[in-house]
Amino acid sequence: MSWQGCEEPTCTEQGSALATRIESRAKDLGGFSVRRVLPAAARRHVGPFVFFDQMGPADFGPGQGIEVRPHPHIGLATLTYLFEGEILHQDSLGYRQAIRPGAVNLMTAGRGIVHSERTDPALRRSGQRLHGIQSWMALPDALADCDPAFVHHPADSLPRVDRDGARITLVAGSAFGERSPVETASPTLYLDIALEPGARLAVPDARERGLFVAEGRVRVEGDAPLAEGTMGVLGTGANVTLEALVASRVILIGGEPVGPRELWWNFVARDPARIARARDDWRAGRFAMVPGDDEFIPLPEA
């Protein structure tokens, strides 16, 4: 999804298990609401994740839907994961893929890719409720200019683990003796955790970890509760237990950071000169476009 600029989320430094608490900032994208978590003023990334939005929940009536026109990316991989609804992905490699709840669309931009995200016309006629997570992972230096690629993983291909009131889906990485089939460019952890009220779960380890409360209210060790729409970034090496105060859904992201990155619009790179080149290429029409789609999002003025 194209980065439609909004104010950065606010952060509060914490002690004990939580190193940072990030309060997301809501933004209306023309009738479609997102909660932006990353990047934040005091926390630019968690592991390889440099961008994290909660999309919705949003209710679209008959005749309504999302229309994110073709736009470019470089230097990152996008991971789209839905709780409800459907998004139709189309890209410059020729892929056309509907993403539905529990499935994973992983698009590696590398040296450059263009894609659109829309509501399928048939689904638009009936309307839908849409809710999910859009995240970007910065690519490591060796792969920053790799060939673009796209992989779709259906929901039934992802491992699921039950633990005393917790149901965990392994979106990426390894945990609880299972491994996701989603192959990422650097060590990554991404879990979808559904918790019954009162359930407790030991949080798997990773170099960096962030817990985002998509629904409900949780607590980490003795810290103040994390409310819906908040991410708690854990201290390095902290052994922590997550407790659900009510029925909750938590997304755990993390992994190895890939080093400093510049973000501008939909471009991620270590060197600002690489972003400047991508700007010039988009302005001059040098990116490959989505087959059969003449629309595009113009380069922002700022």
Side-chain angles (χ1 to χ4, degrees), residues 11-23:
C11 304
T12 304
E13 293 300 319
Q14 302 292 314
S16 62
L18 290 182
T20 308
R21 182 184 297 258
I22 305 174
E23 306 291 344

Side-chain angles (χ1 to χ4, degrees), residues 49 79 81 133 135 169-172 188-191 251-253:
F49 292 89
L79 195 159
Y81 183 76
I133 302 294
S135 56
T169 300
L170 278 76
V171 179
T188 302
L189 185 61
Y190 190 134
L191 305 181
I251 298 296
L252 169 63
I253 60 169

Side-chain angles (χ1 to χ4, degrees), residues 63-139:
Q64 299 177 328
I66 63 169
E67 288 290 346
V68 182
R69 295 168 291 163
H71 56 278
H73 290 285
I74 67 162
L76 58 85
T78 67
L79 195 159
T80 306
Y81 183 76
L82 297 182
F83 306 141
E84 299 177 87
E86 179 181 311
I87 294 175
L88 178 63
H89 162 98
Q90 297 182 91
D91 63 41
S92 52
L93 299 177
Y95 288 99
R96 177 185 173 92
Q97 176 66 56
I99 180 169
R100 300 184 177 96
V104 170
N105 267 16
L106 182 67
M107 184 184 75
T108 301
R111 58 181 167 77
I113 197 168
V114 176
H115 76 135
S116 65
E117 292 154 303
R118 305 181 190 267
T119 300
D120 184 270
L123 189 58
R124 183 184 294 272
R125 287 193 289 271
S126 60
Q128 68 165 333
R129 182 175 174 86
L130 185 64
H131 187 196
I133 302 294
Q134 172 102 152
S135 56
W136 300 354
M137 295 171 285
L139 296 175

Side-chain angles (χ1 to χ4, degrees), residues 278-297:
R279 286 201 303 263
D280 292 342
D281 287 344
W282 185 244
R283 187 185 292 112
R286 288 190 285 264
F287 276 83
M289 298 301 289
V290 176
D293 193 335
D294 295 329
E295 292 190 299
F296 66 92
I297 298 178

Side-chain angles (χ1 to χ4, degrees), residues 2 64 106 125 150 175 184 218 229 248 282:
S2 179
Q64 299 177 328
L106 182 67
R125 287 193 289 271
F150 175 82
T184 54
V218 302
S248 301
W282 185 244

Side-chain angles (χ1 to χ4, degrees), residues 177-232:
E178 298 286 349
R179 180 175 181 82
S180 169
V182 177
E183 294 292 337
T184 54
S186 61
T188 302
L189 185 61
Y190 190 134
L191 305 181
D192 175 13
I193 305 170
L195 297 159
E196 297 175 2
R200 293 170 60 85
L201 181 72
V203 179
D205 193 22
R207 172 75 179 279
E208 295 183 354
R209 294 166 295 172
L211 292 164
F212 177 73
V213 185
E215 299 172 357
R217 191 163 172 261
V218 302
R219 180 163 47 218
V220 177
E221 300 299 331
D223 283 296
L226 292 170
E228 191 170 292
T230 304
M231 177 176 284

